[in-house]
Amino acid sequence: MAWLLLPLAWLGPALEADGGSYLYDAAYCIDHVRLGQACPYLPQPGDILLRMDDNRFWAITHNLALAFAPHGSGIVVARPDGSLGVLEAGPNDCMHVWTVDMLPHLREYEEAGIVWIRRRKTPLTPEQSACLTNWALRQDGKWFALQRLGVQLTPFRTRGPLRTYFVGKPCGNRISYFCSELVTEALVAAGLIDATTARPSATYPHDLFFDRSYNLYLNRHFSLADGWEPPARWVSRPN
């Protein structure tokens, strides 16, 4: 179990300085309400970040694409040195895929909107975590898929009442990603979801949040409920 304690050694000083890391009660609730009492949050590889951005541009474009809220997602990964980072496509609206320092990144998103975490119900095995880390390292520096994100506003996207049954399958090594596509591909690479039914390029943060989807195929075949807790509101300082 020593490998589980290694990230905590890195996080200890960070949790004490400049605020901390807390979660409220988990629920499929996408508003400003904080449920229950805040408890300290100790992240682990495989946890999923979801966020709401107060930027009206993202709210409008997500609604036009029928993607709705939340507006972004990422996944917690262990770095080779044992520290934890968030693998994300386009963190802070940049145009690349990066693994960024976790706690500073969460605080930046907290200032811009609302942040949730879906915690793993059981820790990843060392093998699963290593697969996730190795895959994440290969994605760092790739492009954010701005053009394919724009396609989500058109009839040519892979998400549709029937087409998602046949297209949008895992690629494994794209040259670019949008945020929820990257998270879903990472889950496939780590062996955490079924590669035969996953549809990364048709999956939105809304699907990662709610375990139900407006897409018929995803509503039938895609859910994180078996391996992850419902979303829990993250804050750096509780009320």
Side-chain angles (χ1 to χ4, degrees):
M1 300 295 291
W3 66 277
L4 287 174
L5 301 178
L6 189 57
L8 304 186
W10 283 84
L11 283 169
L15 291 173
E16 296 174 2
D18 193 27
S21 181
Y22 301 88
L23 292 180
Y24 284 90
D25 289 353
Y28 296 103
C29 181
I30 193 161
D31 56 30
H32 289 268
V33 175
R34 302 182 182 188
L35 302 174
Q37 297 295 318
C39 296
Y41 166 53
L42 294 177
Q44 59 183 333
D47 289 353
I48 295 173
L49 157 73
L50 295 147
R51 70 179 184 97
M52 184 91 79
D53 196 323
D54 287 339
N55 186 313
R56 295 191 65 177
F57 171 80
W58 291 118
I60 292 171
T61 54
H62 274 69
N63 289 341
L64 288 174
L66 304 181
F68 306 113
H71 306 132
S73 56
I75 186 167
V76 179
V77 300
R79 290 162 161 164
D81 63 5
S83 65
L84 295 181
V86 175
L87 175 68
E88 187 175 348
N92 292 315
D93 295 336
C94 80
M95 294 305 299
H96 289 87
V97 173
W98 295 118
T99 301
V100 296
D101 293 338
M102 184 168 185
L103 290 180
H105 192 53
L106 292 178
R107 293 186 187 113
E108 290 172 343
Y109 279 162
E110 182 185 30
E111 293 177 0
I114 309 176
V115 181
W116 297 269
I117 297 290
R118 295 201 65 171
R119 292 186 294 180
R120 282 286 303 172
K121 291 182 177 179
T122 58
L124 302 190
T125 66
E127 293 77 13
Q128 289 171 330
S129 184
C131 286
L132 181 58
T133 297
N134 292 334
W135 190 83
L137 290 172
R138 295 196 300 272
Q139 313 316 311
D140 266 345
K142 291 185 176 181
W143 288 100
F144 178 77
L146 184 61
Q147 290 182 331
R148 288 194 297 108
L149 188 64
V151 172
Q152 302 304 309
L153 296 169
T154 76
F156 302 103
R157 60 185 179 175
T158 57
R159 185 180 174 104
L162 296 176
R163 70 188 65 177
T164 308
Y165 281 82
F166 309 102
V167 295
K169 299 177 182 180
C171 179
N173 192 31
R174 287 188 177 275
I175 61 172
S176 63
Y177 299 90
F178 56 84
C179 66
S180 50
E181 176 185 47
L182 180 72
V183 171
T184 310
E185 288 274 11
L187 299 179
V188 171
L192 302 178
I193 61 174
D194 189 350
T196 63
T197 57
R199 296 293 186 270
S201 65
T203 301
Y204 294 157
H206 185 94
D207 308 313
L208 300 175
F209 189 101
F210 282 106
D211 290 326
R212 65 178 187 273
S213 176
Y214 294 112
N215 179 270
L216 297 176
Y217 175 88
L218 293 177
N219 199 49
R220 180 175 181 181
H221 295 284
F222 181 81
S223 172
L224 300 179
D226 289 342
W228 287 263
E229 301 287 350
R233 176 82 178 272
W234 182 92
V235 295
S236 59
R237 289 183 174 86
N239 288 338

